[in-house]
Structure formats: C-alpha cells, structure tokens
Amino acid sequence: MNLAKKVVIVTTGGTIAMRYDPFSQSVVPAVTGPELVAAVPPLAEVGPVEVVEYANLPSPHITPAMMFDIARMLDVILARPEVAGVVVTHGTDTLEETAFLLDLVLKSDKPVCLTAAMRSSAEISPDGPKNILCAVRTAFSASAAGQGVLVVVNEEIHAAREVTKTHSANPKTFASPFWGPVGYVDEDRVIFRRQSLGREKIQPQALVEDVHLIKLVAGSDDFFFRCLVEKRVRGIVVEGFGRGNVPPAVVPGIEAALAAGIPVVLTTRVHGGRVLDVYGYEGGVIPLKNMGVLLAGEMSGQKARLKLMLALGLAENAADLARYFERP
Ligand code: ASP
C-alpha cells in the first residue's frame, strides 16, 4: 500500500464509461468517474486515487484543442508534490492521438498512463476494470517515470509514439507494429523491458488547429489539395504510398500549397518504416523533397498532423519548421 502518494484518474469518456441503453438499443455515455473507480475494488490495495472528471465524451468527439486543454490540466496536476502519476481514461478511437500529443507537450517526467476499454460496463467480461487497475499500478510504479506517456491496455504497456489501434472490435486492439510493447503488468509487479527512444518535446503556448490530413489512394489527384489551398489552411499532412511516393496528378496540388506558403508534411500509409528520398520519378520523394515537402520519418499521418499543429505554434518561419521534421 502506497500511503504517501496518490494517482489522479482523469476521465474523458469512451466505451470504458458507457453502458448499453435498452431504450435506444445502443451503447451510450452513462458511467461517471467515481462509478468507474468503484467498479475496481482492488484499487484500494494499490494506493490512494483521486478522480477528476474532464468530460464524458466518445473519443471521436475529442478535438486537438481538447487534447491540449487536457495537457494543460495534467501539467497542473503533475506539479502537485503528492501526485505520483496520472491515469487518463479515454475512448479507444482517438486514444493514440491524445497519448501522442500529451507525450510531446507535457512538462513532467512522472508517469502518465492512458487506458480504455473495448467492451462497455454492462457487457460480459468488460475489459475496463482490469485496464484501470493495470494503469493505476503502472502510474504508481517508479519504473514508469521518464518513460514518456504510456498506453496501458490488456496488461501491456505501449509507448505513445509507437502505439496504434489495430482492430475495430477485438479487446487486443492496441499494438506497436514492428516494436511491440515496452513492458507489461504482471500479478505482482510492473515490468519494463525496453525504452522507446527518439522521443521529443514541442511545447508551444497554443497549437494551430487548421491542419489537415489527406490520405492518398491509387489514382488520387490534386482535388483535395486545391480545396485546402483555396481555404488557406495552415498546414497539410499527406499519407503517401510506401516510401512516401505520390501519384503524378497529386503533384500540382502540392506545388500549389507550397506556393501559397502552406507547409506540406509527408508520411506513409503503411504501418512501418520511414518516408525517404529514394525515388526520382514524377511523384517520387526526391522531387517532392526538392520542392520543399517535409518528411515525417516513421510517424503515422494522424500523429504527424498533431506534431505539425504544435510545431506551427512554435516555428517562426519555414526553415525553423523544417527542424521538427528533418531531424535524424
Ligand atoms: N467509439 C468509442 C470511443 O472511442 C470506442 C471505445 O472507446 O472503445 O469513444
């Protein structure tokens, strides 16, 4: 029993806080923060917890501005000396985005663990209570400090930068493709097996929200780029193919965006590996990079979009912005 310190559980909603409603015949937000904790009696053996209800939203309703707001709130909570760490309960759909944004902006090195559930509380074998228990145990664990923001689900611990939702329904949905978990939660202890290297911090006063993601498919053209250029958005992230290559008909749209002063960041729609200037054909990354397109390394489109929102909040000019994306 850890008497000195407490873990603060910040609830934001998601299936973990939902119940089946027979009237509407659907799963809807229904469970309060204190009810969530009350459903996990073994927490009393782990240590004191405090519950802070941020929201009770399905995670498709969570915006980057809310993620940033949650970060500001966590900075204040984590600065309290009696707080050992924080657990954030969240819907699974956008959990990896909130986790990654928090990883980039949070100031403290104390453990921050996001957790969730794929089954709502009234289903057979709900996964939420065990996930909350494991997340709180990880947040109390000294070995979790300095590991960055973690996602604790199914007794596995994943790094925010690497984790993604891989299945629409199966409780074993979170995985870190090509890397695997950084650790796991066993009956008697929390075990870390490796560290996620290459983490970074981008800590602006505010983020720039008007940044958009375009996913490319065979035969894509520049239609969506032209819409965004006309709208004068602040940034565009592109999910290209493989090493980052794009169809030739997309290139005029990228040129138009760059000519309008809109930064374009390139990612890949595949689950592993970096985008890189290997191919020189029309739409290949060599000409794209020469044009001024920024490369996002191994990062998924949805995470690179959040990174660009934060970097735009700090960067003074295009050269400065490039520093966030061209780092080795
Ligand atoms: N749609 C839900 C959400 O993300 C899914 C979940 O929580 O598992 O809020």
Side-chain angles (χ1 to χ4, degrees):
M1 171 90 96
N2 188 332
L3 289 173
K5 301 261 185 178
K6 63 161 74 164
V7 161
V8 178
I9 303 177
V10 177
T11 61
T12 70
T15 297
I16 198 165
M18 293 190 196
R19 254 193 217 113
Y20 181 76
D21 170 33
F23 185 67
S24 64
Q25 297 193 344
S26 65
V27 177
V28 292
V31 183
T32 65
E35 283 170 341
L36 260 188
V37 173
V40 195
L43 276 181
E45 303 300 314
V46 181
V49 297
E50 173 187 324
V51 182
V52 176
E53 292 182 272
Y54 172 78
N56 196 351
L57 291 172
S59 74
H61 295 202
I62 302 272
T63 64
M66 290 175 193
M67 295 171 191
F68 199 72
D69 200 29
I70 294 168
R72 295 283 76 91
M73 184 179 171
L74 297 198
D75 275 337
V76 174
I77 293 171
L78 290 161
R80 287 162 45 192
E82 81 282 12
V83 173
V86 166
V87 167
V88 179
T89 61
H90 199 287
T92 58
D93 289 343
T94 61
L95 181 144
E96 71 201 63
E97 287 168 74
T98 298
F100 180 60
L101 184 134
L102 294 177
D103 195 49
L104 288 174
V105 305
L106 285 181
K107 298 191 176 101
S108 173
D109 255 358
K110 290 180 184 175
V112 174
C113 304
L114 275 78
T115 196
M118 291 297 280
R119 299 186 184 129
S120 67
S121 59
E123 282 184 72
I124 293 172
S125 315
D127 47 339
K130 181 77 178 194
N131 284 345
I132 291 175
L133 181 62
C134 290
V136 171
R137 286 182 54 206
T138 307
F140 266 121
S141 155
S143 54
Q147 301 274 5
V149 172
L150 301 167
V151 173
V152 183
V153 275
N154 286 319
E155 298 162 45
E156 290 181 351
I157 307 171
H158 293 266
R161 194 183 172 84
E162 295 160 0
V163 74
T164 191
K165 183 173 178 176
T166 64
H167 196 284
S168 64
N170 194 303
K172 186 164 170 37
T173 185
F174 284 101
S176 301
F178 295 95
W179 306 112
V182 292
Y184 61 101
V185 184
D186 210 342
E187 292 300 313
D188 61 336
R189 71 191 68 182
V190 174
I191 298 170
F192 280 86
R193 277 282 169 246
R194 66 177 184 89
Q195 271 195 320
S196 172
L197 302 179
R199 287 177 46 235
E200 50 196 331
K201 287 286 168 197
I202 308 179
Q203 298 168 314
Q205 292 300 317
L207 82 176
V208 173
E209 273 205 276
D210 197 13
V211 174
H212 300 259
L213 171 64
I214 298 179
K215 183 186 184 97
L216 299 182
V217 290
S220 282
D221 62 17
D222 62 352
F223 175 75
F224 292 124
F225 291 87
R226 298 219 171 264
C227 296
L228 294 181
V229 171
E230 200 173 306
K231 199 172 162 251
R232 302 233 148 253
V233 301
R234 297 289 304 278
I236 300 175
V237 176
V238 183
E239 261 187 38
F241 309 135
R243 274 299 207 183
N245 313 300
V246 308
V250 163
V251 176
I254 293 179
E255 280 170 333
L258 294 170
I262 301 170
V264 177
V265 171
L266 189 64
T267 66
T268 174
R269 65 183 201 171
V270 301
H271 302 296
R274 299 164 61 215
V275 288
L276 196 65
D277 45 348
V278 173
Y279 293 96
Y281 58 76
E282 195 184 357
V285 179
I286 291 176
L288 294 180
K289 193 176 172 192
N290 290 339
M291 249 174 240
V293 170
L294 303 173
L295 308 187
E298 307 167 330
M299 200 164 285
S300 66
Q302 62 269 28
K303 288 181 183 172
R305 173 175 165 264
L306 292 170
K307 184 175 171 181
L308 181 54
M309 287 178 178
L310 294 170
L312 282 167
L314 272 187
E316 309 222 319
N317 51 47
D320 201 19
L321 186 65
R323 287 192 306 116
Y324 294 99
F325 291 93
E326 303 293 343
R327 278 182 198 171

